[in-house]
Amino acid sequence: MIEIQNIEKHFGNNHVLKNVSFLFERGKTNLIIGESGSGKTTLIKVLIGLHKIDSGTVLFDGVDFNAIKTKKQRLLRQEIGMLFQGGALYDYMSVEENIMFPLNMFTKKTDVEKLERVNFCLKRVKLEGKNRLMPSELSGGMTKRVAIARAIVMQPKYLLCDEPNSGLDPKTAIIIDNLIQEITKEYNITTIVNTHDMNSVMEIGENITFINKGEIWWKGNKDELLNSNNKELNDFVFASELFKRLKKV
Amino acid sequence: MTKLLHHLGLYFIMMKKVISKPKNWSVFRKQLSLEMEKVGLNSVSLVIILSFFVGAVVSIQTSINMSNPLLPSYLVGLASRDSLILEFSPTMISLILAGKVGSSIASELGSMRVTEQIDALEIMGINSASFLILPKVIAAVFFFPFLIIISMGVGMVGAWVGGLSTNITTADFMYGLKYEFTPFYISYAIIKTIFFAFIISTVSAYFGYHTKGGAIAVGKASTTAVVSSSILILLFNYILTDIILS
Ligand SMILES: Nc1ncnc2c1ncn2[C@@H]1O[C@H](COP(=O)(O)OP(=O)(O)OP(=O)(O)O)[C@@H](O)[C@H]1O
Ligand SMILES: [Mg+2]
């Protein structure tokens, strides 16, 4: 469970997050939706201290992230898996080395155990046997899947995903969404997913927050979302003709 | 001026992060040997070629400029030796390495920054500054002195070959080479080189690590890195020469 309370964040004069509070529940895929530039990426990065917050509190199962020492923060971060918008694979390492990297860094497992774990994770994202490929040889969807494998290799308690399916075709996008959903349930992870893709919302939206111009505008689940009367939310959700028609039905 | 102070402040904050004990020695050793190769070994051939030709040119020019028969011909060996050891090898080679190694450090770190690879390290709980930069600094500080010594040696071979072409005999050249040789000059050159290696690796790392934006920013960071470290090398060359030799 991750709880944020009254988060404020400025970039210079740009007030990016305004008094944001939310509870991200354990074992659920918590969604943050909002249009481009609304502050979704910033919110995720602020959670884990990649950007400093101006004020507010971030609690990881009750632990105040910003009140603990850097060393403790690093330990906590080892329990967090993160999927970056562009994958952020280390480009001088192969797929296998990328996924094995956290294991090399933080565990005392033997080489055989490490390889076993890597292969398990690769299989989990349906990329078995792709160990030797380099990041430059992967397609967009494969890159995201390797990044997921790397994010889960240490069995994180928290999984943060920044637009896991941006730039993917709808079918691959749904595969990725479901993968995240399954992993979340399977290991009882607190998962946060940033997205502006309505397909994802319908697929995996259990606990949704709509962020607009840096403010939390609406909270609920996907059924509530469809029946909401919130104007900004409706403008966002039913932006496309397809969804407008669905709303009428 | 405030911008300079701002950079200086950030530089020291970064260096404080860089200088910390590696978390995992076996990973660190691997990183270090990779950097030794990138920072050092890959520059050996460049250093050899440059030093040979500059050595040759220095001795040819000295001998042409000393056409006065009163001047002993062993002066060519002596002058080439001193100019190679005191200035060319430590300073000029360092400037050239600032271009080659500095730009590669800055662009590597810059592209890791803009593709969020540095964030990915941080989020794993790794001190990214130390993990990425420390091996580069150690590799440079350790390897550059060897490059400089290679440069001195090859430069003198070049000078000897150049001397032969202007009718300086090998015996005269060798006599000049050994004439009133001050071994301290070599230590002086190595001390300078260590300073320069530190400047090149940390300043370039600073600009790469703090890149903001996209691919264009990476290019800009690597240019800034080369320009700044070159200027700093010249500045420190002046300061160090003043302190050590006078
Ligand atoms: N490092 C930064 N420095 C300055 N401003 C930033 C920085 N990162 C983001 N911003 C600003 O913060 C605002 C929110 O950006 P953010 O990246 O969080 O949006 P987003 O909701 O993730 O958008 P997208 O869906 O396009 O990824 C934007 O106005 C952006 O210009
Ligand atoms: Mg974003």
Side-chain angles (χ1 to χ4, degrees), chain A residues 41 85 162-163:
Chain A
T41 301
Q85 209 160 341
D162 194 4
E163 312 222 4

Side-chain angles (χ1 to χ4, degrees), chain A residues 24 27 33 45 54 56 82 86 92 98 103 129 135 141 146 149 153 159 167 172 193 212:
Chain A
F24 301 101
I33 59 173
K45 290 199 171 171
D54 301 336
M82 175 147 181
Y92 61 97
N98 258 287
L103 298 175
V146 174
V153 73
L159 182 63
T172 315
V193 175
N212 187 28

Side-chain angles (χ1 to χ4, degrees), chain A residues 45 48 50 74 77-78 84-85 88-92 101 104-106 150, chain B residues 23-24 27 31 112 115-117 119-127 131:
Chain A
K45 290 199 171 171
I48 44 176
L50 287 176
R74 295 217 171 102
R77 281 175 171 181
Q78 289 172 30
F84 286 86
Q85 209 160 341
L89 299 181
Y90 306 124
D91 46 24
Y92 61 97
F101 179 73
N104 286 336
M105 237 17 228
F106 300 113
R150 186 179 67 181
Chain B
K23 243 206 163 70
N24 182 318
V27 174
Q31 290 280 109
M112 288 188 80
T115 56
E116 297 180 308
Q117 291 178 54
D119 283 346
L121 284 171
E122 283 290 331
I123 182 62
M124 285 178 186
I126 293 165
N127 175 346
F131 178 79

